[in-house]
Amino acid sequence: MTSSICDVAGIEVGHCTDGRRPTGCTVVLARAGAVGAVDVRGAAPGTRETDLLAPHNVVDCVHAVLLSGGSAFGLDAAGGVMRWLDERGIGLAVGPATVPIVPAAVLFDLPLGDARIRPDAQAGYAACEAATAHAPAEGNVGAGAGAAVGKIFGYARGMKGGIGSASVTVDGVTVGAIVACNALGDVFDPATGRVLAGARSADGLALLDAQEALLRGDEPRPILAGSNTTIGVIATDAQLSKVQAGRLATQGHDGLARCIRPLHTLSDGDALFALATGASRRSLGMMTLGAMAAEACTQAVLRAVRAARTVRVGEQFLPAAADIP
């Protein structure tokens, strides 16, 4: 087992990372289609096709999910994913046409380098071309290339975020997650309580623990709405209905809350998608599947910041967890 979302049968992942500045996009492909759902918890999301995934709406089959940097501009990359799928005849049959269903979510990574450089349709297409069923790269790649965490006391005191993936298997059924962590808050290890990456002290040499700082009365710096976000995809080979997939996305947020604090703020656009391929031809109870989704999301976030590497672009400096004692 590779312990990634690609352990789920029917799922492939591809990254496109822009070499001109830290940004990029990540696609999660389900070529045969998957039951899709979403749960958006952040107050400042940047998304596409999330209304379609509501349980009271008709379409329940998704062919890909895009995670992208570039803020709202990055939603353009979904057009490239649609083109790639369309060229292969993958999509929902609608009369004379086949329409690929590609929900998407974006994160804000514009402060690093030239903000005019962001993922576009060509980047989305390239991510599809790179997609495989092997464990995806983690850290400073794809949608995690420009991600940062711990910006609650200002961007200059934050650290490098990234993208990570993990999976859990119980009784022959697998739940995996891939998460791009660009949180306003800190990332901490729930097993030890230790902050791994987040807001740094004023001198930049030590971790602060933003939660403790807020509770003792330290004033956060004003943060623009939507300038932070943790986005991801949960996938399972269990057979689920659209309502059940929605519950899986909801419980995935429990996993984020175990390792990110604060979470779901007015400045975050946190969103998790869920895909159920049904490839195992079986299921487990939703209690167990929900616990698996939460655990996979927690581990994906931890792997994202542990795999991250320090970035310096002009005057912007974001140290990685590995570089802060």
Side-chain angles (χ1 to χ4, degrees):
M1 296 291 284
T2 57
S3 192
S4 80
I5 192 172
C6 290
D7 293 332
V8 176
I11 294 295
E12 300 168 68
V13 173
H15 299 302
C16 176
T17 306
D18 199 312
R20 297 170 296 172
R21 81 166 184 92
T23 192
C25 62
T26 298
V27 66
V28 179
L29 293 177
R31 297 188 194 220
V35 175
V38 68
D39 191 340
V40 179
R41 292 294 178 97
T47 57
R48 161 189 165 128
E49 297 278 40
T50 51
D51 284 351
L52 175 145
L53 298 180
H56 57 270
N57 288 332
V58 174
V59 174
D60 65 358
C61 185
V62 169
H63 305 98
V65 175
L66 175 79
L67 307 176
S68 183
S71 190
F73 295 107
L75 291 172
D76 285 349
V81 178
M82 287 194 70
R83 179 164 63 89
W84 190 89
L85 292 167
D86 182 46
E87 288 175 357
R88 288 153 181 80
I90 299 171
L92 179 68
V94 183
T98 299
V99 181
I101 305 301
V102 184
V106 296
L107 55 79
F108 184 88
D109 61 5
L110 301 180
L112 275 178
D114 187 348
R116 294 170 298 179
I117 298 171
R118 52 255 180 166
D120 55 13
Q122 183 177 347
Y125 191 97
C128 293
E129 287 282 272
T132 73
H134 301 298
E138 298 175 307
N140 301 16
V141 295
V149 300
K151 297 157 283 184
I152 200 163
F153 296 105
Y155 192 89
R157 287 169 62 181
M159 291 178 63
K160 188 68 183 73
I163 193 165
S165 188
S167 70
V168 179
T169 299
V170 174
D171 197 20
V173 173
T174 300
V175 177
I178 187 166
V179 179
C181 185
N182 187 54
L184 176 70
D186 296 344
V187 175
F188 68 100
D189 185 346
T192 64
R194 185 174 74 88
V195 177
L196 300 178
R200 291 176 288 142
S201 56
D203 62 12
L205 300 177
L207 289 162
L208 182 64
D209 194 327
Q211 179 93 342
E212 292 298 320
L214 289 172
L215 293 176
R216 66 173 173 256
D218 291 8
E219 287 290 331
R221 286 189 55 178
I223 302 293
L224 293 174
S227 58
N228 314 272
T229 289
T230 297
I231 53 177
V233 180
I234 301 163
T236 181
D237 52 17
Q239 292 181 317
L240 298 181
S241 68
K242 193 176 183 182
V243 171
Q244 289 172 320
R247 183 51 50 184
L248 207 65
T250 295
Q251 292 196 251
H253 282 278
D254 293 351
L256 301 186
R258 291 175 190 166
C259 59
I260 301 173
R261 61 188 181 200
L263 183 68
H264 303 148
T265 75
L266 288 172
S267 297
D268 285 285
D270 306 319
L272 289 177
F273 296 92
L275 299 175
T277 68
S280 70
R281 298 178 179 267
R282 48 193 307 250
S283 189
L284 301 173
M286 285 305 300
M287 189 75 71
T288 301
L289 288 170
M292 294 165 70
E295 180 63 17
C297 286
T298 296
Q299 294 304 318
V301 171
L302 298 181
R303 289 174 63 148
V305 297
R306 285 172 171 150
R309 293 296 174 260
T310 294
V311 165
R312 189 186 295 273
V313 180
E315 296 182 358
Q316 299 288 5
F317 170 63
L318 294 173
D323 297 326
I324 299 291

